[in-house]
Amino acid sequence: MTIVAEHYDYVVGVDTHARTHTYTALAAGTGAVLDTAVFPTTTTGTTRAISWIRRRTTNGDVLAAVEGTSSYGARLTCALLAEDIPVAEVRPPNRNARAMHGKSDAIDAQAATRSVLGQEVGQLIEPRAAGARTALRVLLAARLLMDHQRTANRNALTALLRGIDLGIDARRPLKDAQIATIAAWRTVPHAQADVVVARAEAKRLAIAIRAGTEQLAANRTSLQTLAEELAPGLQETPGIGPVTAAIIVCAYSHHGRIRSEAAFAALAGVAPRPASSGNTTRHRLNRSGDRQLNRAFETIVRTRISFDPVTRDYVARARATGKSSREIRRNLKRYVARSVFRQLQAIMG
């Protein structure tokens, strides 16, 4: 395989921030620093930065190594790709590197450049594609916020009903029918001040809970539509619903971003890690990687265990050999990651 230093003539590293980006241009063959500059993140500043890149990298192929392509560097990434400048996503320097070389925007930009020089071109991390995938990420972030808010409102309502007797049995989790009843309450005349205030607050919380439920339902419908558009048939796989499908599609993004099913498993935090000692040979759960993607695979596995006959047969056989429930789920998540990756390669490749 060809490495970046052999394939490209120039590499431009970018350390991204909210207000400014710092750019460093290097000659790929020699590693010599050609120039460093800082430009604002405005549209005009990005245009000036691209012109600067063109002037510093004449008569040769150039690669941009950008930090934070999905956050501070998202707009810059789109602008570079629109100018036919390939972009590779790089991670910020770790603590050991900063302890050795120091910390500044120029140093980080140069580190971003040098971090890709020795990498194989086929193993570069490509930025996540925009369009419908960006819409999916926005919907998932919104869903997380709405779910947290609805849970907080439900907990607050339960606590209120347990603290003040308003005629609702709150010894157990509230049912939807009880919440609907509370949301339809009217003002009680000649009631004590604490009861009036408590009923008004309970009604407000109940209305907020019902609104949150409706918003989550609409969010789920949107996720289902977009996920099916990007990965047709993925939601027909046992255990995969609209939310888990959207998480998987966002993590996979597009063909070429993840080089192998092993890398996909590592990204999801489901690649087994050795935990052997002495006469004991075993593996443990991997707690690194994309935790949202890991939770999606956990949901898929638990769903399959509850209804899928093939999965339940495997669980029974594994338990007969002495495996624990956590070890069984780890094995199943690794299997699901492998099969889902191959499916994504087929339908999104």
Side-chain angles (χ1 to χ4, degrees):
M1 292 291 292
T2 305
I3 64 173
V4 170
E6 298 171 341
H7 187 77
Y8 292 97
D9 299 299
Y10 304 96
V11 179
V12 177
V14 187
D15 181 40
T16 59
H17 294 280
R19 295 184 178 180
T20 61
H21 296 332
T22 302
Y23 301 75
T24 295
L26 263 70
T30 63
V33 177
L34 302 177
D35 198 1
T36 297
V38 179
F39 296 96
T41 59
T42 60
T43 302
T44 302
T46 301
T47 302
R48 289 171 52 204
I50 293 175
S51 299
W52 177 87
I53 292 174
R54 295 296 190 192
R55 293 194 303 271
R56 297 300 184 277
T57 59
T58 56
N59 301 323
D61 295 328
V62 57
L63 171 71
V66 182
E67 290 184 6
T69 58
S70 296
S71 54
Y72 289 142
R75 294 176 59 186
L76 172 64
T77 299
C78 293
L80 291 171
L81 293 175
E83 293 291 327
D84 295 326
I85 298 176
V87 178
E89 181 179 352
V90 297
R91 297 181 176 87
N94 57 34
R95 184 176 298 178
N96 293 334
R98 284 178 172 168
M100 182 180 298
H101 302 290
K103 173 72 174 75
S104 72
D105 294 345
I107 292 174
D108 288 348
Q110 187 177 144
T113 305
R114 297 192 185 282
S115 67
V116 300
L117 286 176
Q119 289 189 21
E120 295 181 358
V121 175
Q123 294 186 357
L124 292 173
I125 302 176
E126 298 183 20
R128 297 186 180 188
R133 294 173 182 82
T134 301
L136 274 182
R137 289 200 296 274
V138 172
L139 286 171
L140 286 172
R143 183 177 187 83
L144 184 63
L145 181 62
M146 288 186 289
D147 189 43
H148 284 175
Q149 187 61 54
R150 186 183 65 164
T151 300
N153 289 335
R154 186 181 287 270
N155 291 340
L157 178 58
T158 301
L160 177 62
L161 295 174
R162 289 175 178 173
I164 300 177
D165 184 11
L166 298 179
I168 298 293
D169 185 2
R171 292 176 295 176
R172 295 182 177 180
L174 296 174
K175 298 180 180 179
D176 292 340
Q178 291 175 304
I179 294 175
T181 299
I182 297 171
W185 274 352
R186 297 181 180 179
T187 303
V188 177
H190 311 300
Q192 295 181 353
D194 59 339
V195 174
V196 172
V197 172
R199 283 175 64 92
E201 177 62 10
K203 179 176 181 178
R204 184 190 71 80
L205 290 171
I207 292 174
I209 293 169
R210 298 192 71 189
T213 301
E214 294 174 357
Q215 292 168 357
L216 285 170
N219 178 277
R220 179 184 176 89
T221 301
S222 299
L223 289 174
Q224 182 178 18
T225 302
L226 286 173
E228 182 63 24
E229 175 186 335
L230 292 170
L234 180 62
Q235 296 175 65
E236 298 174 6
T237 304
I240 298 182
V243 179
T244 51
I247 293 172
I248 291 170
V249 170
C250 283
Y252 179 83
S253 186
H254 57 277
H255 183 64
R257 179 173 185 265
I258 302 174
R259 63 181 181 273
S260 66
E261 58 93 7
F264 187 61
L267 174 66
V270 300
R273 283 191 171 180
S276 303
S277 178
N279 296 327
T280 302
T281 301
R282 61 183 296 272
H283 294 77
R284 68 169 176 82
L285 294 171
N286 188 344
R287 295 178 177 83
S288 61
D290 186 333
R291 303 317 296 169
Q292 189 177 34
L293 182 59
N294 186 278
R295 287 195 297 271
F297 283 129
E298 179 77 13
T299 301
I300 295 168
V301 166
R302 289 183 179 272
T303 302
R304 289 189 179 186
I305 290 175
S306 66
F307 79 89
D308 184 40
V310 177
T311 304
R312 300 183 74 171
D313 289 344
Y314 168 77
V315 172
R317 293 196 307 271
R319 282 181 178 159
T321 62
K323 290 185 180 294
S324 66
S325 296
R326 297 182 70 184
E327 289 174 329
I328 292 171
R329 291 201 307 273
R330 175 183 62 76
N331 292 343
L332 286 172
K333 286 197 287 188
R334 183 65 180 86
Y335 166 78
V336 171
R338 181 185 300 112
S339 61
V340 167
F341 179 80
R342 292 174 180 175
Q343 187 176 359
L344 291 172
Q345 289 282 84
I347 62 181
M348 298 180 64

